[in-house]
C-alpha cells in the first residue's frame, strides 16, 4: 500500500485531490494530510473522509522542521504531493513576507525532510519514492493578447507578483534538488482552477457569493484580463497521472485551453445563476448585470495566461474532461447545496479582509 504525504490538503485543490484519490484508489492507498489550517484551510472540506482508517490529519506548519521530520520518521512515505502555500495574489500584494515564509522556506523544509528520509547511505534514493511540487502558470509572467501565444514548459520564468515570485523561487528550489542530488521529483504548473470548496476570496466563488446576496461584483481594471480556467477535478487527475506516469525530473504544464476574459466569466455566472435558480427564488430579482462594478486595477495585474498542455497530452495522455459550461454548473450547484459551508467560509477573518480590500 502506497503512503502519501499531502501538504495543504485542507485547502481548495488539496481537499479535491484527496477526495479524487480515495474515489480512485479507495483502500489501496493511505493519505496523511499535513496542514496548518490558516484562514484558507478548512477541515469541513474533508468531513467525508475523516473517519477512514487509511486517512490521517496532522495539524502542522510546513516551516516546522521538527514536526515534518517526525512525520517522515514515523511513516514510510512513498509519495509527497506538495500543495501547501499562501495562494492569493491580492493578499501577497498586501503582506508579501508570509508568502516567502510558507512558499519558499516551507518548500525548502519539505524537500530537506523528504531527502533526509529517502536518501541511501551509499548515495541515491530509496526505490520508487517521488515528490510532486504543485505550482502555477503565474511563474511564466504575462502573455500578450495575441491568441497564438502560450506558456510552454520552456517559457522563461518572469513572475510579477510577490505570490508568483515566491512560487517561482519554490520551483527553482525543487529544480536545484533535482539537479544537485537527483532528488526524485516533478513540478506541475497549472492554470486557474475553479470548483467545489474554493475559498470565496477568488474570482469565481466571490462572484457567486456576492451575486446570491445582491452585492456588487468587483471587476479589476477594464475586465479584459484573460485567465485559462480548469475544473479542479481535472487538475487532481493530472497530478496523479504525472506522478505515476510522468518522467521523473520533468515539468508538466496543466491547462484546458479555456481562456476567458474576466468580464465574460461574470456574464456566464450571472446567466447560469438565473437559469439554475427556481422561478420562485426571491434572489432572482437582484441577480443582474447592474451588480457589475469596475474598481481600481490590481497592482502589476498580469494581462493574460494561457497554457499549452501539449506535453502532458502527448507523453501521458491527460486531457481535461470538464467543459466550462458543465464545470460552472457543477460549481454553482455545489454552492447551492453547501450554503452553510459558504456562510462559514465568508464569516470571521474573511469579513475583515473583504472590507479592507473592497470597501475602503
Ligand atoms: P488554498 O489557499 O485554498 O489552500 C492552501 C492550503 O495550504 C490551506 O489548507 C492552508 O491551511 C495550507 N497552508 C498554508 N500555509 C501553510 C503552512 N505554512 N503549513 C501548512 N499548511 C499551510 O490554495 P489552493 O488554491 O488550493 O492552491 C493549492 C496549491 O496549488 C498552491 O501551491 C497553489 O500555488 C497551487 N495552484 C493553485 C491554483 C489555483 O487556481 N487555485 C492554480 C495553480 C496552482
Ligand atoms: O493562474 C493560476 C493562479 O490562479 C493560481 O496560482 C493562484 O493561486 C490563484 O489564486 C489564481 O490567481 P489569479 O490571480 O488569476 O486568481 P483570482 O481569482 O484572484 O483572479 C482571477 C482574475 O480575476 C484576475 O485577473 C483578477 C480578477 N479579479 C479577481 C478578484 C478577486 C477581479 O477582477 N475582481 C476580484 O474581486
Amino acid at each position: 500500500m502506497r503512503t502519501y504525504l499531502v501538504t495543504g490538503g485542507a485547502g481548495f485543490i488539496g481537499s479535491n485531490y484527496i477526495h479524487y484519490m480515495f474515489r480512485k484508489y479507495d483502500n489501496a492507498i493511505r493519505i496523511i494530510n499535513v496542514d496548518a489550517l490558516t484562514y484558507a484551510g478548512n477541515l469541513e472540506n474533508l468531513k467525508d473522509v475523516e473517519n477512514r482508517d487509511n486517512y490521517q490529519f496532522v495539524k502542522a506548519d510546513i516551516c516546522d522542521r521538527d514536526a515534518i521530520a517526525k512525520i517522515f520518521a514515523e511513516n514510510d512515505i512513498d509519495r509527497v504531493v506538495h500543495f501547501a502555500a499562501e495562494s492569493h495574489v491580492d493578499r501577497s500584494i498586501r503582506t508579501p513576507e508570509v508568502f516567502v515564509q510558507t512558499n519558499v522556506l516551507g518548500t525548502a523544509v519539505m524537500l530537506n525532510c523528504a531527502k533526509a528520509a529517502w536518501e541511501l547511505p551509499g548515495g541515491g534514493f530509496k526505490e520508487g519514492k517521488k515528490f510532486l511540487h504543485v505550482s502555477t502558470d503565474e511563474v511564466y509572467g504575462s502573455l500578450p493578447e495575441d491568441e497564438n501565444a502560450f506558456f510552454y514548459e520552456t517559457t522563461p520564468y518572469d513572475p510579477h507578483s510577490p505570490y508568483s515570485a515566491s512560487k517561482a523561487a519554490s520551483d527553482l528550489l525543487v529544480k536545484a534538488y533535482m539537479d544537485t542530488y537527483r532528488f526524485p521529483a516533478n513540478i506541475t504548473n497549472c492554470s486557474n482552477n475553479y470548483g467545489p470548496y474554493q475559498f470565496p476570496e477568488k474570482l469565481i466563488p466571490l462572484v457567486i457569493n456576492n451575486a446570491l446576496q445582491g452585492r456588487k461584483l468587483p471587476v479589476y481594471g477594464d475586465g479584459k484580463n484573460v485567465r485559462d480556467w480548469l475544473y479542479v477535478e481535472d487538475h487532481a487527475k493530472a497530478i496523479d497521472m504525472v506522478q505515476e506516469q510522468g518522467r521523473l525530473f520533468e515539468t508538466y504544464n496543466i491547462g484546458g485551453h479555456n481562456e476567458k476574459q474576466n468580464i465574460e466569466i461574470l456574464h456566464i455566472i450571472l446567466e447560469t445563476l438565473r437559469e439554475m435558480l427556481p422561478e420562485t427564488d426571491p434572489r432572482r430579482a437582484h441577480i443582474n448585470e447592474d451588480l457589475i462594478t469596475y474598481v481600481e486595477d490590481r497592482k502589476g495585474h498580469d494581462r493574460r495566461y494561457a497554457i499549452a498542455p501539449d506535453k502532458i497530452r502527448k507523453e501521458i495522455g491527460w486531457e481535461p474532461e470538464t467543459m466550462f459550461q458543465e464545470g460552472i454548473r457543477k460549481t454553482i450547484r455545489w454552492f447551492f447545496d453547501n450554503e452553510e459551508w459558504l456562510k462559514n467560509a465568508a464569516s470571521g477573518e474573511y469579513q475583515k479582509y473583504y472590507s479592507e480590500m473592497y470597501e475602503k
Side-chain angles (χ1 to χ4, degrees):
M1 184 192 272
R2 282 200 297 265
T3 298
Y4 285 75
L5 178 55
V6 173
T7 71
F12 162 50
I13 307 177
S15 58
N16 277 285
Y17 169 81
I18 291 175
H19 285 123
Y20 173 81
M21 292 297 277
F22 281 137
R23 273 199 305 278
K24 176 162 182 196
Y25 296 104
D26 197 7
N27 290 323
I29 57 166
R30 189 174 152 238
I31 295 181
I32 302 169
N33 169 21
V34 55
D35 197 300
L37 299 183
T38 67
Y39 78 90
N42 186 350
L43 289 180
E44 283 285 297
N45 301 3
L46 295 157
K47 260 200 339 248
D48 300 354
V49 304
E50 68 188 10
N51 292 323
R52 296 185 73 109
D53 292 336
N54 55 343
Y55 171 76
Q56 187 190 343
F57 173 70
V58 179
K59 184 175 187 300
D61 190 320
I62 55 163
C63 301
D64 180 346
R65 187 184 310 140
D66 292 344
I68 301 300
K70 186 164 177 275
I71 298 172
F72 278 98
E74 291 174 352
N75 300 278
D76 183 14
I77 304 290
D78 300 298
R79 302 279 185 272
V80 174
V81 184
H82 178 37
F83 294 96
E86 287 292 335
S87 68
H88 192 35
V89 173
D90 291 323
R91 290 188 193 247
S92 83
I93 294 166
R94 300 158 69 89
T95 53
E97 283 176 5
V98 64
F99 284 71
V100 177
Q101 179 75 23
T102 285
N103 299 0
V104 187
L105 297 179
T107 299
V109 168
M110 289 308 304
L111 288 166
N112 225 30
C113 288
K115 173 176 168 286
W118 291 348
E119 66 195 346
L120 293 165
F125 292 93
K126 291 179 189 163
E127 188 68 28
K129 306 294 187 189
K130 294 181 186 181
F131 188 109
L132 189 139
H133 177 61
V134 180
S135 192
T136 171
D137 58 358
E138 297 198 12
V139 298
Y140 299 122
S142 186
L143 288 166
E145 277 166 3
D146 166 11
E147 282 174 14
N148 296 315
F150 294 104
F151 293 139
Y152 293 89
E153 287 80 358
T154 48
T155 303
Y157 276 27
D158 185 21
H160 298 126
S161 72
Y163 162 70
S164 53
S166 69
K167 290 297 289 188
S170 67
D171 291 13
L172 295 179
L173 267 177
V174 180
K175 283 182 201 285
Y177 269 63
M178 295 194 283
D179 293 348
T180 308
Y181 311 111
R182 294 297 283 168
F183 179 75
N186 287 104
I187 299 171
T188 53
N189 295 92
C190 188
S191 62
N192 286 60
N193 284 215
Y194 69 100
Y197 304 110
Q198 188 165 28
F199 194 74
E201 66 190 352
K202 307 281 164 57
L203 181 71
I204 288 184
L206 185 147
V207 167
I208 296 171
N209 185 33
N210 282 18
L212 287 172
Q213 294 180 56
R215 297 175 81 169
K216 288 180 182 167
L217 311 177
V219 181
Y220 300 160
D222 64 2
K224 292 186 178 160
N225 297 66
V226 170
R227 295 293 181 266
D228 181 1
W229 295 94
L230 182 70
Y231 191 62
V232 63
E233 199 177 310
D234 286 335
H235 186 191
K237 181 174 181 184
I239 287 171
D240 180 45
M241 288 177 80
V242 166
Q243 198 159 42
E244 297 316 316
Q245 297 163 44
R247 286 181 294 138
L248 268 181
F249 315 115
E250 291 290 318
T251 288
Y252 293 90
N253 281 353
I254 305 171
H257 276 310
N258 181 42
E259 295 168 46
K260 299 219 179 309
Q261 289 184 345
N262 295 334
I263 192 67
E264 286 179 73
I265 295 286
L266 264 71
H267 287 300
I268 294 172
I269 293 175
L270 288 169
E271 208 175 294
T272 314
L273 280 171
R274 282 193 296 259
E275 257 172 53
M276 290 178 69
L277 279 173
E279 289 289 337
T280 50
D281 194 305
R283 290 173 296 185
R284 288 179 72 99
H286 61 235
I287 295 182
N288 62 54
E289 276 61 20
D290 294 346
L291 296 176
I292 295 174
T293 309
Y294 287 88
V295 299
E296 189 188 333
D297 207 357
R298 174 184 277 173
K299 289 187 174 62
H301 197 175
D302 287 336
R303 191 63 175 167
R304 173 171 170 259
Y305 302 148
I307 283 273
D310 304 16
K311 180 174 171 182
I312 189 170
R313 192 184 60 240
K314 282 193 202 127
E315 286 192 14
I316 301 180
W318 175 87
E319 299 224 38
E321 289 167 18
T322 315
M323 300 304 290
F324 191 71
Q325 200 51 41
E326 181 198 347
I328 202 72
R329 290 182 75 87
K330 280 169 127 172
T331 304
I332 290 175
R333 169 64 50 213
W334 188 86
F335 279 104
F336 283 173
D337 294 344
N338 291 275
E339 274 183 52
E340 208 47 34
W341 183 96
L342 184 56
K343 216 168 100 197
N344 292 340
S347 65
E349 192 274 351
Y350 181 73
Q351 288 296 331
K352 185 168 174 286
Y353 165 78
Y354 192 90
S355 59
E356 281 174 15
M357 178 76 198
Y358 294 101
E359 292 169 351
K360 277 207 165 153

